[in-house]
Amino acid sequence: MTENILIIDFGSQVTQLIARRVREAGVYSEIVPFNAADAAFEKLNPKAVILSGGPASVTHSDTPRAPEAVFKAGIPVLGICYGQQTMVAQLGGKVETHDHQEFGRADIEIVASSPLFEGIEEFSNSNTPDASENRDPTKNTTSAQITNTPSVQITNTLRVWMSHGDRVTALPEGFNIIAKSEGAPYAAISDEARKFYAVQFHPEVMHTVGGAKIIQNFIHKIAGCAGDWTMAAFRESEIAKIRAQVGDKRVICGLSGGVDSSVAAVLLHEAIGDQLNCIFVDHGLLRMNEAEQVVSLFKDHYNIPLVHVNAKEKFLGELSGVSDPEKKRKIIGKLFIDVFEEEANKLGGADFLAQGTLYPDVIESVSFTGGPSVTIKSHHNVGGLPERMNMKLVEPLRELFKDEVRDLGRELGLPDAFIGRHPFPGPGLAIRIPGDITEEKADILRKADFIYLDEIKKAGLYDEIWQAFAVLLPVRTVGVMGDARTYDYVLALRAVTSTDGMTADYYPFEHDFLGRVSTRIINEVRGVNRVVYDITSKPPGTIEWE
């Protein structure tokens, strides 16, 4: 049976990053909300449990708690932030709200040896003030790159990322302090006999120097996991799940033109063959030549049954005059479902609708079940189906991050040129045109976006960037072109680096490059007379503008 780690989610916006770190260590992980953890714990029989952070306060009696069975099962447990606090409170210690809070970078002092911190000395940064900047999580840096960073002077302090108002003030019996900070006297604690460990900081985020190593230590050295889970293993298990869920029924897969839905379709085809029909909806909001590329890939390369629906007039008609971004997304989502239902009937009906939903889609769309985390934005492919449809959802990528989807695509043999494409949202250009949408605006943006990406590719920068795109702003400015006055649109350029889309930073283009792109767009795209560059990170912004 596959080794697995159960992650109990208390509502942290970065819980998925814990799963990411566990998978990077070669072990499968599943996340369940705290109020479904009892059943999941019994079903999964995990090798170890990780308790996530969360926005609640343990000092309130009605806030979430971990299942008592977790602490009685004789397996290792790691508590992170809120996870530490509920572990301490449930095992007889004390947690209090304190005036001294910690948010952001902090230094902890390691005060006792522990397998949790084994080998962590090479990441120590006491005497290297710029070390944390070299490992900024919003940069395009991986944990593997961190591991290969040259060793710095070895001390007993470590730069970590804190986010807490409450703190532990008394330990349960059997626990000892293994690290402390100015604002958290119990920054890391352990009960070595029971293999219970807890940290006040967040090792899962890349702000914490060596955080991936700490999680690896818990998984390999403490929980004893072999670390042999791979994308090939995921492919095999997911195919088995699809077959078990679908049986001999028919499936329709909705293609948006992006990597996610395409990988989902190829995986489904491998699992159920001719039981699958793909529907590619051209809503008139795709990138330049994208429809032709998708049709060619599926009909010529994979010979997967594909229905190509030109629904441009329907989508643009429904979106006419709509400027609210949430309404745009909901309109597009509804129309996608309507088209699928219509085409499914033409094909003789289907029992399942498949989508390329990913983890970041889910966390940004759905408020935490039973807790106070915040909905950031809705996604057109998250949230289920209308009751009138006699179809169930198949979402084989729902627990993967974007880079994991790319790995799966390579495992399935999709062309690198397709797999390496930048993310493209299901609603397409609709959410890159703030304000009302018209066919004219879509054409302007499509042409400008093509030029921008063309210049990025010519400069050899495409693979260095997580996502690059143009945004047509609902703003007109005065310009002078050919001695004549113009009053045309402003175009914003956006390019970010990231590892998983959860955090991101803007790409630092040379000014000469931006000047060249601006000149080409203004000269070649009628309707634009000013170009600006977006230098906002995520957070506080999102990657897309809407």
Side-chain angles (χ1 to χ4, degrees):
M1 183 176 178
T2 302
E3 295 176 327
N4 68 82
I5 302 292
L6 177 65
I7 300 167
I8 299 177
D9 185 13
F10 292 103
S12 169
Q13 292 287 354
V14 293
T15 298
Q16 282 73 13
L17 296 184
I18 303 174
R20 178 183 172 79
R21 301 294 168 249
V22 174
R23 293 177 190 179
E24 286 174 352
V27 179
Y28 181 69
S29 60
E30 287 195 26
I31 297 174
V32 297
F34 73 90
N35 52 5
D38 281 292
F41 181 74
E42 184 176 343
K43 176 184 175 182
L44 293 174
N45 189 29
K47 290 272 287 188
V49 171
I50 299 178
L51 309 176
S52 85
S57 172
V58 170
T59 61
H60 299 160
S61 60
D62 59 347
T63 49
R65 296 293 186 268
E68 289 296 332
V70 166
F71 302 117
K72 297 177 179 178
I75 61 173
V77 182
L78 172 64
I80 295 174
C81 196
Y82 182 90
Q84 182 203 50
Q85 294 163 9
T86 194
M87 177 189 288
V88 167
Q90 289 181 244
L91 295 178
K94 191 172 184 180
V95 178
E96 296 178 341
T97 299
H98 199 274
D99 290 338
H100 191 137
Q101 305 174 86
E102 287 182 303
F103 296 95
R105 290 184 176 91
D107 290 322
I108 64 168
E109 180 184 0
I110 299 173
V111 297
S113 63
S114 169
L116 193 67
F117 292 135
E118 187 173 325
I120 207 70
E121 299 87 5
E122 69 172 289
F123 301 101
S124 176
N125 60 0
S126 280
N127 297 312
T128 54
D130 63 339
S132 63
E133 299 302 322
N134 292 337
R135 300 172 178 86
D136 192 320
T138 61
K139 305 296 184 185
N140 196 20
T141 307
T142 67
S143 58
Q145 289 172 314
I146 291 175
T147 302
N148 293 328
T149 302
S151 298
V152 297
Q153 182 172 344
I154 297 175
T155 70
N156 64 343
T157 62
L158 194 69
R159 181 66 50 83
V160 301
W161 187 262
M162 293 281 195
S163 181
H164 67 99
D166 295 348
R167 71 183 192 185
V168 175
T169 56
L171 292 179
E173 185 178 351
F175 278 82
N176 293 294
I177 301 172
I178 55 176
K180 63 182 181 179
S181 74
E182 183 179 352
Y186 303 91
I189 59 176
S190 70
D191 180 334
E192 302 289 347
R194 289 186 287 179
K195 295 187 177 181
F196 291 169
Y197 299 82
V199 296
Q200 183 60 75
F201 57 91
H202 286 271
E204 71 272 28
V205 304
M206 295 180 75
H207 295 75
T208 293
V209 180
K213 176 65 174 176
I214 292 171
I215 292 177
Q216 288 169 15
N217 282 345
F218 176 73
I219 293 166
H220 297 314
K221 298 183 182 302
I222 296 169
C225 294
D228 53 5
W229 182 80
T230 63
M231 193 50 68
F234 177 85
R235 171 187 180 180
E236 182 178 336
S237 65
E238 200 60 35
I239 286 173
K241 287 181 183 178
I242 292 168
R243 289 171 177 165
Q245 180 184 6
V246 172
D248 61 355
K249 307 299 184 185
R250 300 200 62 80
V251 179
I252 286 180
C253 181
L255 294 178
S256 65
V259 173
D260 306 335
S261 60
S262 299
V263 170
V266 174
L267 180 65
L268 282 158
H269 189 253
E270 182 168 320
I272 60 174
D274 291 342
Q275 293 170 238
L276 172 71
N277 282 98
C278 292
I279 298 176
F280 173 51
V281 179
D282 184 351
H283 48 29
L285 297 163
L286 298 171
R287 291 172 285 196
M288 187 77 76
N289 303 322
E290 187 152 36
E292 294 81 359
Q293 293 170 3
V294 172
V295 171
S296 174
L297 176 70
F298 281 86
K299 283 191 172 180
D300 300 339
H301 190 83
Y302 280 101
N303 196 29
I304 296 175
L306 176 68
V307 176
H308 180 197
V309 183
N310 187 342
K312 179 175 72 173
E313 291 185 6
K314 180 180 290 188
F315 277 83
L316 292 179
E318 289 287 332
L319 290 167
S320 178
V322 178
S323 59
D324 180 81
E326 282 298 290
K327 288 183 179 178
K328 289 180 187 177
R329 288 176 177 272
K330 292 183 185 303
I331 287 170
I332 291 169
K334 178 183 180 300
L335 287 177
F336 266 115
I337 295 297
D338 289 346
V339 172
F340 294 146
E341 186 176 27
E342 182 180 337
E343 295 301 324
N345 290 333
K346 291 179 183 178
L347 292 169
D351 300 275
F352 294 90
L353 171 64
Q355 296 184 150
T357 309
L358 304 189
Y359 248 156
D361 298 339
V362 175
I363 191 174
E364 289 189 342
S365 295
V366 183
S367 294
F368 181 71
T369 303
S373 71
V374 178
T375 296
I376 298 170
K377 61 186 178 183
S378 64
H379 288 260
H380 79 282
N381 57 346
V382 177
L385 299 171
E387 290 184 5
R388 73 172 189 274
M389 295 185 67
N390 189 25
M391 297 173 71
K392 298 177 182 179
L393 281 176
V394 180
E395 296 175 309
L397 311 181
R398 191 180 178 90
E399 295 182 354
L400 296 185
F401 292 94
K402 175 67 75 171
D403 58 326
E404 292 177 321
V405 173
R406 296 189 199 282
D407 290 343
L408 178 58
R410 294 185 184 97
E411 177 70 27
L412 290 166
L414 271 77
D416 281 340
F418 190 86
I419 288 299
R421 290 196 308 169
H422 290 177
F424 187 65
L429 302 181
I431 58 173
R432 295 177 181 176
I433 305 176
D436 65 304
I437 299 169
T438 66
E439 187 172 358
E440 177 196 17
K441 288 182 179 179
D443 287 338
I444 290 172
L445 180 56
R446 201 175 351 258
K447 293 172 185 175
D449 188 74
F450 178 82
I451 291 170
Y452 181 34
L453 293 177
D454 183 54
E455 287 295 326
I456 288 174
K457 291 172 182 176
K458 286 179 178 177
L461 301 174
Y462 190 81
D463 291 337
E464 292 183 24
I465 296 169
W466 166 267
Q467 191 171 2
F469 55 91
V471 181
L472 189 66
L473 303 185
V475 177
R476 289 180 182 265
T477 66
V478 174
V480 178
M481 298 173 71
D483 295 325
R485 177 185 183 274
T486 62
Y487 192 60
D488 288 328
Y489 290 109
V490 179
L491 188 87
L493 304 179
R494 178 83 158 139
V496 298
T497 57
S498 181
T499 57
D500 47 40
M502 300 299 290
T503 60
D505 200 4
Y506 72 90
Y507 186 84
F509 286 120
E510 298 289 338
H511 285 287
D512 287 347
F513 173 85
L514 292 173
R516 185 164 63 251
V517 172
S518 175
T519 298
R520 270 198 68 185
I521 289 173
I522 291 172
N523 286 345
E524 299 178 31
V525 182
R526 187 175 295 275
V528 175
N529 69 359
R530 194 178 300 269
V531 177
V532 298
Y533 186 56
D534 179 356
I535 59 169
T536 311
S537 63
K538 176 186 179 179
T542 54
I543 293 177
E544 296 285 351
W545 276 46
E546 289 192 342

